[in-house]
Amino acid sequence: MDSIQQSETPSSTAGSDVRPEERGPLGSSSDYEAVFSGLRQSPSAAADSGEKSGSEELLHSDNIRRQSAGRTPGFNRPTAVTESTIRDSTSASMTTAAGTSVPSVSVNSSNRFNGPALNMNIPRILPHEQVFSIQVGDTLFRLSGASLSSDGPSYFTSFFSFHRQEGRQEGRNDYPILYIDRSPEIFRDIVRHLQGYYVVPKDEYHFVYLYADAHYYQLPKLVKLLFNSEIFVRIGSTPFRIPKELLSKPGDSPNFFSLGFSSFFASPEEVFPGTRGLIRPPAVAPPQVLAHSEELFQQLLQAFKGAPLQFKSPEHRDLLIKECKYYHFRGLEQKLIPIDISKNLLTGREEITIRLRDIKPASVNVDSNIDGDLQRVRYKRPYTDDELRDLVIQVDQKEIVLRAYDIANINNDSSGKRKCRWGVEIIQGSTTAKQLEAIVAKFPPTVNRPETNGPCRLASDLHDAYIVIDGVETDAQYLDDGSIECFYPHGSYSSTSRKRKRTSEDEEEVVFTHDIMPLRNLAVSKAQFKLYIIKGMVIMQILSIDCISSLREANQRRGFL
């Protein structure tokens, strides 16, 4: 920044730039001064001043201001007048030189203004009545010392304070013109801020420019105000202005915008990290997300505001969930995923049905209250649910096979009696296998984990299951002549043992290897099941399952592109 020495002492009238003085609601700046200087009079004196003519009133007000200068702090600028201030005022009114009436304000016995309408806390860094000239680009601005001191210390107060002290030493009373090679359009908004107006950025570009120049001019109040203001971002081709408190709910912060914003502006004290010492701020583009839909983002904002979302299709819901994951709206994501919460009237327990891919393993819990030998797996959605419920998992990816094995052949039983065990085998390396392994990894260390050096195998419990094979409802007894037992990779345990007394056959040990050929294979299209633990073994209790038993049925379900 450079300075140009000014040949004449600046005039005492302050304005945003060199142009004819504009009259506000009360007239010119002298009219404002006449009105507010009258506030320091007694009520009777104020009434007397209202009977004077225009020129006499201004002269009288000026005399009052001069007489009270030694005992009353000088008026700085008006702030927002609240409804209580107007309601408590008297019914009398003051008339300005411009002929405009304003509500009178109560005055206490000490002749001081009584109410929040005046702000007398502007520090006297520079003389409030002095006018200073600042040229930004090709435009000359003239600001009072009160305006420059209202947000300081800043570059402006430091510059003029230095030359004020230097002029005193040399016996001069003038100030140089400060020249700054920046945008006068952006500086015009900064002038409004210094004059006490609330400045609102128009869009994301205006925000970045205003924020960069506020830090460049070292204006602490404006920097803090903008840092804590709305988020300005462009999604697709649409600009958005998002209140920060809208995205501060549990699970939704930190998010894409708060983390992305901090990469541009680390804190109100440090803007553009790593650029300290540069002559001017670097050119920075505002945050933009061009590869995502503005329509979907608008729907997410409506959900944040409490409006119900209308899902056009399951694919539409999945797109919204995908957008939540991208923007790190984890709390909103949990509210969008499809679930069913209900109470099982037969068991008296609450259940939550949720898709396997939507489960957060960290929220899975194994019930510590053991019911006999059984431990239930429970779940509650993070950021949303307060209580645990029995977990019902739904899978709809074709990555599970239900296999039947002849246990008699495995143990070389020569009795000729077939002993069928059903087990679940999940394709190795599939998404379903990885998700189930992540859930089982959260179980207590005493629980046996499925093998990872081959297909993921789990014991199955088909009692009370609703089974559909090739589109035909099938009784569970049809699968094995009424002998539906759990199949274990290392040993067997009959699921019917909870209903009837165990026999020696139920305790029969099974030696399982990967080269055992199953008796029957059923490809699972979709299924709902629970997980529970018995004696350290993970059991998959099938509740509802849709299977395919033949290639013909599989081919029949093929769809044309």
Side-chain angles (χ1 to χ4, degrees):
M1 302 181 184
D2 303 322
S3 64
I4 302 176
Q5 295 296 329
Q6 185 178 10
S7 59
E8 300 179 358
T9 303
S11 63
S12 59
T13 303
S16 61
D17 54 340
V18 177
R19 62 180 61 184
E21 186 176 17
E22 298 180 357
R23 300 176 66 87
L26 300 182
S28 64
S29 59
S30 60
D31 298 330
Y32 277 91
E33 185 175 346
V35 171
F36 288 101
S37 63
L39 297 178
R40 302 188 181 92
Q41 307 175 57
S42 64
S44 59
D48 294 339
S49 65
E51 299 174 358
K52 300 178 183 293
S53 61
S55 59
E56 291 175 340
E57 181 183 2
L58 291 178
L59 179 59
H60 177 75
S61 301
D62 186 62
N63 291 334
I64 293 296
R65 179 180 58 81
R66 294 176 183 272
Q67 293 172 7
S68 61
R71 54 184 172 87
T72 304
F75 166 73
N76 287 325
R77 70 162 48 104
T79 57
V81 179
T82 62
E83 293 182 3
S84 60
T85 305
I86 299 176
R87 184 173 58 251
D88 297 337
S89 63
T90 62
S91 58
S93 63
M94 297 179 298
T95 306
T96 68
T100 305
S101 296
V102 296
S104 62
V105 187
S106 59
V107 180
N108 59 20
S109 58
S110 60
N111 288 337
R112 292 179 180 272
F113 174 73
N114 182 22
L118 299 183
N119 177 13
M120 301 192 179
N121 296 324
I122 296 179
R124 295 189 66 87
I125 303 176
L126 294 174
H128 288 189
E129 67 279 359
Q130 183 67 50
V131 176
F132 300 89
S133 298
I134 303 174
Q135 182 167 344
V136 181
D138 58 355
T139 305
L140 182 64
F141 296 86
R142 307 184 73 180
L143 291 164
S144 68
S147 293
L148 294 178
S149 301
S150 65
D151 193 355
S154 63
Y155 176 80
F156 309 120
T157 59
S158 300
F159 176 84
F160 289 115
S161 294
F162 172 78
H163 285 281
R164 182 188 183 191
Q165 184 178 3
E166 186 181 63
R168 285 179 176 177
Q169 295 174 355
E170 299 178 358
R172 294 184 292 102
N173 193 29
D174 59 347
Y175 294 90
I177 298 177
L178 172 61
Y179 175 75
I180 306 172
D181 191 15
R182 297 292 287 176
S183 168
E185 295 302 323
I186 300 300
F187 191 76
R188 210 176 298 275
D189 291 319
I190 293 178
V191 168
R192 294 189 181 97
H193 162 74
L194 294 175
Q195 292 175 336
Y197 297 99
Y198 181 71
V199 178
V200 179
K202 301 179 181 67
D203 52 33
E204 70 276 12
Y205 287 96
H206 188 212
F207 172 81
V208 170
Y209 299 156
L210 191 61
Y211 195 90
D213 276 9
H215 189 271
Y216 183 58
Y217 299 135
Q218 302 170 19
L219 300 170
K221 292 182 181 178
L222 182 56
V223 169
K224 185 177 180 179
L225 178 67
L226 293 173
F227 187 85
N228 295 323
S229 66
E230 297 90 347
I231 298 173
F232 292 84
V233 67
R234 182 175 294 270
I235 307 294
S237 59
T238 304
F240 288 90
R241 177 181 169 187
I242 312 167
K244 284 188 175 181
E245 60 271 14
L246 194 64
L247 307 182
S248 59
K249 297 179 182 178
D252 297 320
S253 181
N255 50 57
F256 174 88
F257 303 102
S258 60
L259 296 174
F261 189 84
S262 63
S263 66
F264 288 99
F265 317 112
S267 68
E269 292 76 25
E270 183 180 4
V271 183
F272 312 113
T275 61
R276 187 179 298 275
L278 295 181
I279 297 178
R280 62 177 57 172
V284 177
Q288 301 184 50
V289 184
L290 301 179
H292 284 254
S293 169
E294 58 266 33
E295 295 180 2
L296 293 176
F297 186 77
Q298 181 65 47
Q299 295 175 31
L300 295 182
L301 288 184
Q302 294 300 320
F304 275 119
K305 296 177 181 178
L309 283 178
Q310 300 295 331
F311 302 111
K312 301 176 182 177
S313 64
E315 292 75 17
H316 178 220
R317 182 198 289 263
D318 289 339
L319 285 176
L320 289 173
I321 295 175
K322 184 178 179 181
E323 292 295 289
C324 284
K325 292 180 178 179
Y326 179 81
Y327 295 118
H328 294 271
F329 297 153
R330 294 170 292 179
L332 181 59
E333 173 192 350
Q334 292 300 312
K335 297 177 181 178
L336 296 184
I337 60 176
I339 63 161
D340 178 67
I341 296 178
S342 60
K343 186 172 184 178
N344 191 323
L345 299 180
L346 299 179
T347 62
R349 302 179 64 88
E350 283 198 347
E351 300 174 345
I352 177 172
T353 304
I354 186 173
R355 298 180 301 187
L356 177 61
R357 62 176 177 268
D358 294 327
I359 295 177
K360 301 297 181 183
S363 298
V364 174
N365 178 273
V366 176
D367 196 346
S368 58
N369 297 323
I370 301 178
D371 182 10
D373 295 332
L374 184 144
Q375 288 180 278
R376 296 180 176 85
V377 178
R378 312 185 74 190
Y379 184 77
K380 67 176 182 179
R381 292 174 296 168
Y383 316 113
T384 304
D385 295 338
D386 296 326
E387 56 181 286
L388 291 164
R389 299 178 175 90
D390 290 352
L391 176 61
V392 177
I393 303 174
Q394 176 174 312
V395 292
D396 48 17
Q397 295 175 313
K398 299 177 178 61
E399 298 174 343
I400 299 178
V401 179
L402 192 63
R403 299 189 187 278
Y405 295 88
D406 188 352
I407 303 303
N409 290 337
I410 293 177
N411 291 345
N412 297 318
D413 188 350
S414 59
S415 63
K417 181 181 178 182
R418 189 182 67 164
K419 301 176 181 179
C420 185
R421 301 288 196 276
W422 286 91
V424 173
E425 183 175 300
I426 306 170
I427 298 176
Q428 181 179 6
S430 64
T431 302
T432 302
K434 294 178 180 178
Q435 292 168 339
L436 278 176
E437 289 171 0
I439 293 175
V440 175
K442 297 298 179 180
F443 291 178
T446 56
V447 176
N448 296 326
R449 268 59 172 172
E451 297 183 11
T452 58
N453 58 349
C456 177
R457 289 189 171 99
L458 291 174
S460 64
D461 180 357
L462 293 172
H463 274 88
D464 302 321
Y466 176 76
I467 303 171
V468 176
I469 300 178
D470 297 339
V472 179
E473 181 181 348
T474 305
D475 194 328
Q477 296 182 358
Y478 169 79
L479 297 177
D480 190 36
D481 298 329
S483 178
I484 308 300
E485 295 182 341
C486 294
F487 172 78
Y488 289 80
H490 302 285
S492 67
Y493 179 85
S494 175
S495 61
T496 60
S497 62
R498 290 182 282 119
K499 300 181 180 180
R500 62 177 175 83
K501 185 177 179 180
R502 282 193 243 179
T503 64
S504 59
E505 293 180 355
D506 294 329
E507 302 292 343
E508 185 176 6
E509 190 71 18
V510 179
V511 180
F512 179 82
T513 58
H514 287 295
D515 56 356
I516 297 176
M517 298 300 295
L519 294 174
R520 191 175 184 185
N521 296 326
L522 296 176
V524 178
S525 298
K526 52 187 177 181
Q528 288 184 353
F529 58 87
K530 291 182 178 180
L531 295 177
Y532 60 83
I533 301 171
I534 295 182
K535 291 185 176 182
M537 190 71 65
V538 180
I539 311 295
M540 179 182 289
Q541 180 186 8
I542 305 296
L543 305 179
S544 179
I545 191 169
D546 185 3
C547 303
I548 300 174
S549 63
S550 63
L551 289 176
R552 179 180 178 182
E553 180 66 21
N555 292 333
Q556 183 179 356
R557 298 192 182 190
R558 290 178 181 272
F560 290 97
L561 300 179

